Amino acid sequence: MVGTYYHLIDEEIFKKNLNDKKIILKNYKLGILLIQIFLYYSSLILLSKILKKKFGTKFSYIVTLLLAIEPTIIQWQSAFWSEGVFISIMIISIYFLLKIEFNNNLNPIILGFILTLLFLQKAYAFFYIIPFVAYLIIKFKKKLKPLFLLLISY
């Protein structure tokens, strides 16, 4: 994410001095944190909407409030590591998992791509597909179309 950010703003991360040592420049690092924070709270808004629709307002408010003020998650959002983005993508994947309906072909495909993004962020996210597949098997029982679409796009 850091490399992409600096490429987009057309700035250098490092500068070499006369001794060929890399010097870290002061160049707009605050933007990375603002993007991570915006992505996290946007994903919480999405999750809140689907939880409100599926489980009711009270449950939605409790879960969203706990995720919004939980100190260790907020700590990841204010660091320059990729865990902040990873947590946001996990929340977005839960949103699309809860949004899957049998007649809608697009949501399982999007979910497969989002799980692929998780895998690209962290290698251990490869195993995140297992609970998602289990959920779809339980939810749709013998109707395997959403499961098939998820696995093909993954």
Side-chain angles (χ1 to χ4, degrees):
M1 177 168 166
V2 175
T4 304
Y5 172 75
Y6 280 109
H7 180 71
L8 288 175
I9 65 170
D10 198 27
E11 291 286 334
E12 295 294 325
I13 300 173
F14 299 106
K15 182 180 181 180
K16 291 185 179 181
N17 65 6
L18 298 175
N19 300 330
D20 264 356
K21 291 187 178 181
K22 290 183 179 179
I23 301 170
I24 298 175
L25 300 173
K26 294 180 182 178
N27 48 1
Y28 316 109
K29 293 177 214 152
L30 180 63
I32 296 171
L33 297 179
L34 293 176
I35 290 170
Q36 280 185 189
I37 292 168
F38 177 76
L39 181 63
Y40 177 67
Y41 285 105
S42 297
S43 66
L44 278 183
I45 290 170
L46 280 176
L47 183 66
S48 174
K49 286 181 180 182
I50 197 73
L51 289 176
K52 187 176 183 181
K53 183 179 176 183
K54 295 278 186 177
F55 302 107
T57 305
K58 190 174 183 179
F59 181 77
S60 170
Y61 287 153
I62 291 170
V63 170
T64 306
L65 180 68
L66 288 175
L67 287 174
I69 64 171
E70 207 280 315
T72 54
I73 295 177
I74 293 173
Q75 180 182 4
W76 286 117
Q77 302 307 319
S78 61
F80 290 102
W81 298 332
S82 63
E83 279 78 4
V85 175
F86 184 77
I87 292 168
S88 300
I89 297 173
M90 276 192 333
I91 291 172
I92 293 169
S93 68
I94 293 169
Y95 166 78
F96 278 101
L97 180 68
L98 293 174
K99 196 174 177 184
I100 289 178
E101 298 295 330
F102 182 70
N103 297 333
N104 189 345
N105 294 336
L106 188 59
N107 287 333
I109 293 170
I110 293 172
L111 179 60
F113 287 125
I114 290 172
L115 289 174
T116 303
L117 280 176
L118 274 177
F119 175 58
L120 291 173
Q121 283 281 170
K122 303 283 180 195
Y124 56 80
F126 178 75
F127 297 107
Y128 276 43
I129 191 79
I130 296 169
F132 286 78
V133 166
Y135 174 79
L136 290 177
I137 289 172
I138 292 169
K139 182 176 180 181
F140 293 112
K141 299 191 179 22
K142 294 182 181 181
K143 301 173 186 173
L144 299 177
K145 181 180 174 184
L147 177 63
F148 179 72
L149 290 171
L150 171 71
L151 291 175
I152 290 298
S153 62
Y154 183 66

